[in-house]
Amino acid sequence: MSTVLWIILENDPDDFAPDDLAFLYDSMDALDEKCASLDTTALTEFVDFSDLELNVSEDDMDEDEAEQWLADNAKWVNPAELLATLRVLEQALAEADDDQDLIEDLRYCIERCETAEQDAVRVRLIAVM
């Protein structure tokens, strides 16, 4: 079973299907190192790991309890703060002509965060298993 990231806005409809950001998830450790060298907040500071926690948990919850637990433990963040980190990373990778798939994931997240800022809603960068 693979793990990916999704970026969701508070005002996304229930039937919204986010893009899988597998390249971004697979590169998180390297991106956090790059964030440290660029003196910006680590990407993992914004990631919601609640879905992973639930999936590896040994708690026996029914579907309603699991949904409630996910809602209670969701990590919603300010899009401007996430956007600052994403822009620094995208610029650094683009200047180095680095991994284009990863750059595309970053650009997708930037676009979604810009939309969230315009709509004055929070975002959730969630690791999904």
Side-chain angles (χ1 to χ4, degrees), residues 50-67:
S50 59
D51 185 76
L52 289 178
E53 291 172 22
L54 180 65
N55 281 307
V56 298
S57 169
E58 294 183 14
D59 292 341
D60 189 25
M61 290 186 239
D62 64 32
E63 191 173 326
D64 290 336
E65 290 172 321
E67 266 188 49

Side-chain angles (χ1 to χ4, degrees), residues 30-103:
L31 291 173
D32 276 355
E33 288 177 21
K34 186 159 287 288
C35 286
S37 70
L38 296 168
D39 198 30
T40 193
T41 306
L43 182 63
T44 53
E45 291 294 315
F46 300 101
V47 177
D48 178 345
F49 292 101
S50 59
D51 185 76
L52 289 178
E53 291 172 22
L54 180 65
N55 281 307
V56 298
S57 169
E58 294 183 14
D59 292 341
D60 189 25
M61 290 186 239
D62 64 32
E63 191 173 326
D64 290 336
E65 290 172 321
E67 266 188 49
Q68 186 60 52
W69 188 90
L70 285 172
D72 291 345
N73 291 281
K75 181 177 183 176
W76 292 95
V77 299
N78 179 323
E81 293 171 11
L82 175 55
L83 199 50
T85 292
L86 294 171
R87 284 181 174 148
V88 167
L89 287 170
E90 189 271 338
Q91 181 178 357
L93 294 177
E95 286 174 0
D97 198 26
D98 214 339
D99 184 340
Q100 289 303 308
D101 292 322
L102 178 55
I103 292 170

Side-chain angles (χ1 to χ4, degrees), residues 3-21:
T3 303
V4 296
L5 289 176
W6 288 347
I7 187 164
I8 302 168
L9 281 57
E10 275 183 315
N11 62 346
D12 282 338
D14 288 339
D15 62 349
F16 176 75
D19 287 356
D20 288 345
L21 304 167

